[in-house]
Amino acid sequence: MAKIPTHIITGFLGSGKTTFLKELLEKREHDNIALIINELGEISLDHELIETDFIKEKTLFLNAGCACCNKREDLKEKFRELLNRHEKRGEKLQRVIIETTGLANPAPIIFTFLSDAFLSNHFEICNILTCVDALDGLRHLENEEACSQILSSDCIILTKSDLNANTQKLRDRIKELYPSIEIFEKQEVDFNTLFKITHKEHYTPLTNKTHRDSISSISLSFEKALDWNIFSIWLSMLLHEHGTKILRVKGLINTNEGYLTNINGVGHLIYNPTHTKIPDTNQKSSLIFIAKNLELEKIESSLKTFLSLSKEKTEFELLKNQI
């Protein structure tokens, strides 16, 4: 049975994510789409959203606590309730959208999905979208929670740009944090575009930047195919040791299996690797880490050690930059 696509919409307090979601769904009231909204003190922000018939009938609320804090049994129960509702009506649930609180880090939500058998068997997180306020975004990014949301995201939705068209400084600041992230104006994103945004299967080279929060990045490229067993052991050990400091992992890995393997992770959590449509013939492997307060030389040296265990030593080129 095909898994039900699930999307996470996040953004700092007052970033306009509820308004964005309302506008996105205004013309989809007949679709079997369900919402899970985690309030935690933001009831006033969601009040306008729940006035429509679509929202009243198809929305469930997490009222107690923040879904980002730990593995949440009530999150699982809400998803089970969604399935039961649609089965009783004889309908098929098409997709689910989770709107997080303004202080949420999506990583623990991902952990709940990956670690729970029911959720991982029935649902699949397709993308994470973060709303950033064109008016107050620079001020919001002084908060660690807002930075974490961007680093966890697959794309940025710039809201309120109709009130402030001069967003270049904000865009530059976002790119300092996450050089390869795509940024869309809210008006550029319709319902169909939202669900076509996926984890990237290509990566933009990192640029030389200096960042006061000690966030650094490392980019590695590999000329020859990697031994997947050795590489996965190395990655698991690295994340076990330094997972709290590693903010994002993305990569396209040539394992000599016909197509490149896409890996994508937030913190110490790695999504299930997937095969891309990109043939691996004469293709390099690439890997990007974004970390905070971590000596990137440790990644370089440990990788060299593990690669030396491979039957055919892998040649690689290392580009290391401080953002």
Side-chain angles (χ1 to χ4, degrees):
M1 182 179 66
K3 295 182 180 181
I4 299 168
T6 302
H7 311 267
I8 299 174
I9 296 180
T10 187
F12 199 68
L13 295 165
S15 62
K17 57 185 179 297
T18 300
T19 301
F20 166 66
L21 183 56
K22 180 179 182 295
E23 293 172 354
L24 202 65
L25 295 172
E26 279 180 340
K27 299 180 180 179
R28 314 299 297 201
E29 60 182 276
H30 299 297
D31 292 353
N32 289 325
I33 300 168
L35 304 183
I36 290 183
I37 297 178
N38 187 204
E39 292 175 320
L40 190 63
E42 293 182 54
I43 297 174
S44 60
L45 295 180
D46 295 328
H47 180 71
E48 182 181 8
L49 183 61
I50 64 176
E51 289 179 350
T52 69
D53 291 336
F54 171 86
I55 298 302
K56 286 180 180 178
E57 182 181 351
K58 299 183 180 181
T59 298
L60 295 176
F61 293 88
L62 288 173
N63 295 315
C66 177
C68 76
C69 295
N70 46 47
K71 184 178 178 180
R72 288 281 299 267
E73 287 297 322
D74 54 348
L75 185 63
K76 179 179 71 173
E77 292 307 313
K78 290 297 183 182
F79 273 80
R80 191 183 297 276
E81 185 177 340
L82 287 177
L83 281 183
N84 290 338
R85 279 188 182 185
H86 284 76
E87 288 178 359
K88 288 179 180 179
R89 299 187 191 124
E91 299 172 345
K92 182 180 179 180
L93 181 59
Q94 294 176 332
R95 64 182 69 243
V96 181
I97 300 175
I98 302 174
E99 182 195 355
T100 71
T101 75
L103 298 176
N105 182 336
I109 300 176
I110 298 168
F111 170 72
T112 301
F113 272 80
L114 295 179
S115 61
D116 184 85
F118 169 77
L119 291 175
S120 61
N121 285 334
H122 290 88
F123 299 89
E124 179 182 15
I125 295 180
C126 294
N127 52 37
I128 300 172
L129 302 98
T130 296
C131 293
V132 176
D133 187 337
L135 283 173
D136 293 321
L138 285 172
R139 181 174 58 84
H140 289 170
L141 289 174
E142 295 175 1
N143 296 275
E144 185 175 348
E145 292 87 354
C147 295
S148 296
Q149 289 168 353
I150 287 175
L151 291 166
S152 299
S153 185
D154 293 302
C155 82
I156 302 301
I157 308 297
L158 219 69
T159 64
K160 307 180 187 179
S161 55
D162 56 326
L163 303 176
N164 178 23
N166 185 14
T167 61
Q168 191 57 53
K169 287 184 178 180
L170 177 59
R171 290 171 178 268
D172 291 344
R173 180 72 174 91
I174 293 170
K175 288 291 186 177
E176 286 181 10
L177 283 169
Y178 197 160
S180 61
I181 194 72
E182 284 191 280
I183 302 174
F184 296 92
E185 299 279 349
K186 184 179 75 170
Q187 57 269 25
E188 296 175 342
V189 182
D190 59 18
F191 187 86
N192 293 323
T193 303
L194 170 68
F195 300 128
K196 291 179 181 178
I197 296 170
T198 58
H199 301 308
K200 284 299 176 183
E201 294 184 352
H202 65 275
Y203 304 108
T204 305
L206 302 174
T207 55
N208 286 315
K209 299 279 185 179
T210 300
H211 192 275
R212 66 176 180 270
D213 294 328
S214 301
I215 294 177
S216 56
S217 61
I218 187 171
S219 175
L220 304 127
S221 63
F222 309 85
E223 293 289 345
K224 297 182 180 180
L226 298 182
D227 184 312
W228 177 254
N229 290 329
I230 290 176
F231 174 76
S232 60
I233 291 172
W234 169 78
L235 183 60
S236 297
M237 294 180 66
L238 181 74
L239 295 178
H240 177 75
E241 181 70 20
H242 301 293
T244 58
K245 297 180 180 179
I246 294 174
L247 304 174
R248 194 69 194 260
V249 181
K250 301 178 75 174
L252 284 174
I253 307 299
N254 183 347
T255 59
N256 204 23
E257 296 178 354
Y259 294 89
L260 296 180
T261 298
N262 183 30
I263 63 171
N264 199 316
V266 178
H268 64 284
L269 303 171
I270 298 292
Y271 294 90
N272 292 328
T274 59
H275 283 98
T276 70
K277 297 180 180 180
I278 306 173
D280 63 10
T281 307
N282 299 322
Q283 287 279 0
K284 293 182 179 180
S285 297
S286 60
L287 184 66
I288 291 174
F289 285 88
I290 301 176
K292 184 173 183 178
N293 297 323
L294 177 63
E295 296 178 16
L296 296 178
E297 289 77 8
K298 293 182 178 180
I299 294 179
E300 175 186 0
S301 60
S302 65
L303 182 57
K304 285 182 178 180
T305 300
F306 268 78
L307 291 180
S308 67
L309 302 176
S310 178
K311 293 180 181 178
E312 183 176 5
K313 187 174 181 180
T314 305
E315 297 177 2
F316 66 93
E317 169 186 310
L318 176 64
L319 301 174
K320 181 170 55 184
N321 304 286
Q322 295 295 323
I323 295 181

